[in-house]
Amino acid sequence: MRSTAQLGVASSCSFAPTSSWALIAREPAFRNREGSESRMVRGHAAAALYSRLLQERIVFLNGPIDDALSSVVVAQMLFLEAESSAPISLYINSPGGSVTAGEPGHRNALAHSSIMIHQPSGGAGGQASDISIVANEILRVREKMFDLYADHCKFPDEERETARKRFAQMLDRDHYLTPDAAIKQGIIDHVLVKRPSSGGDDGGVSTTSSVEKQGSSS
């Protein structure tokens, strides 16, 4: 499966619902003169809109990533993968949660987006032995995250262990990056100035070669 990740600026007023299946459950519950009937019409109209986008192999991931949202996005991508081997465009507008990723060469961000990476966090209560178990699991997940970043974001001429240490240092605290900085760290590949068209327009993509990225980060 090949997906093209598009990162956007997280904003409470952004209009990028997750999907036609999850949209109605996440519709704002405000009232107007038409009441519940109007909300139902809006829900059906929006569902039709995002069903149409799904036909164009466009998937929206909007909001904090949890099990429910992940299951919807994964189901959509599996459905599209079964239909065709063509690329899937994944538009992300999320403060984070579970890990999201895209295939190297197809990881894009909008020009004014903000990208944040960090190590796992969590809390535990109860008996001391239970707290220790949770703490050990968080540490295990953290080490696995270092491995994943090293495997998928290292530079062509960079040793895996060097990349792992680089990301271990960045992930020690919340680490915010501009799109250009994310390119230099190998996290994304391109900055999009505008949405690419089906006619071959590259969308004003700004790119940095792997050699330039490695030189800039040294």
Side-chain angles (χ1 to χ4, degrees), residues 97 118-124 134 138-139 141-142 145 171 174:
H118 62 93
Q119 63 176 304
S121 61
V134 174
I138 291 175
L139 292 175
V141 172
R142 184 185 66 174
M145 286 183 64
L171 290 166
D174 289 354

Side-chain angles (χ1 to χ4, degrees), residues 143 146-147 150 160-169:
E143 295 301 310
F146 296 162
D147 290 335
R160 183 181 184 277
E161 188 59 30
T162 301
R164 196 179 188 280
K165 290 179 180 178
R166 175 164 60 90
F167 280 103
Q169 183 177 6

Side-chain angles (χ1 to χ4, degrees), residues 11-217:
S11 170
S12 60
C13 62
S14 296
F15 186 68
T18 56
S19 67
S20 59
W21 301 338
L23 179 64
I24 296 177
R26 299 199 176 202
E27 272 287 287
F30 61 84
R31 295 184 177 276
N32 53 27
R33 288 180 300 176
E34 291 78 11
S36 60
E37 183 177 351
S38 176
R39 291 198 302 274
M40 183 179 299
V41 171
R42 290 178 63 247
H44 285 305
L49 170 62
Y50 290 99
S51 293
R52 179 68 180 85
L53 290 174
L54 192 63
Q55 295 176 22
E56 299 294 329
R57 305 183 69 78
I58 296 174
V59 176
F60 282 88
L61 193 163
N62 185 69
I65 303 171
D66 53 25
D67 291 341
L69 177 55
S70 296
S71 65
V72 171
V73 173
V74 170
Q76 289 181 323
M77 298 185 76
L78 289 174
F79 170 77
L80 294 175
E81 181 192 28
E83 283 205 326
S84 169
S85 60
I88 301 169
S89 292
L90 174 63
Y91 287 80
I92 302 172
N93 180 21
S94 173
S98 302
V99 174
T100 60
E103 182 178 347
H106 300 272
R107 301 169 300 187
N108 306 323
L110 299 179
H112 302 291
S113 59
S114 180
I115 300 160
M116 191 267 280
I117 60 175
H118 62 93
Q119 63 176 304
S121 61
Q127 300 179 5
S129 56
D130 293 330
I131 296 174
S132 177
I133 291 171
V134 174
N136 288 333
E137 176 61 12
I138 291 175
L139 292 175
R140 185 194 69 81
V141 172
R142 184 185 66 174
E143 295 301 310
K144 184 62 177 178
M145 286 183 64
F146 296 162
D147 290 335
L148 291 172
Y149 275 105
D151 289 337
H152 296 284
C153 301
K154 74 181 188 69
F155 304 122
D157 298 330
E158 185 180 27
E159 294 291 334
R160 183 181 184 277
E161 188 59 30
T162 301
R164 196 179 188 280
K165 290 179 180 178
R166 175 164 60 90
F167 280 103
Q169 183 177 6
M170 283 195 293
L171 290 166
D172 187 53
R173 293 288 186 270
D174 289 354
H175 194 97
Y176 290 88
L177 301 101
T178 64
D180 287 337
I183 286 179
K184 293 175 182 177
Q185 295 297 337
I187 297 172
I188 65 171
D189 305 293
H190 313 295
V191 178
L192 295 182
V193 177
K194 61 181 179 179
R195 183 178 183 274
S197 68
S198 58
D201 183 359
D202 66 0
V205 172
S206 171
T207 62
T208 302
S209 68
S210 299
V211 175
E212 291 174 328
K213 285 189 290 187
Q214 189 170 11
S216 299
S217 62

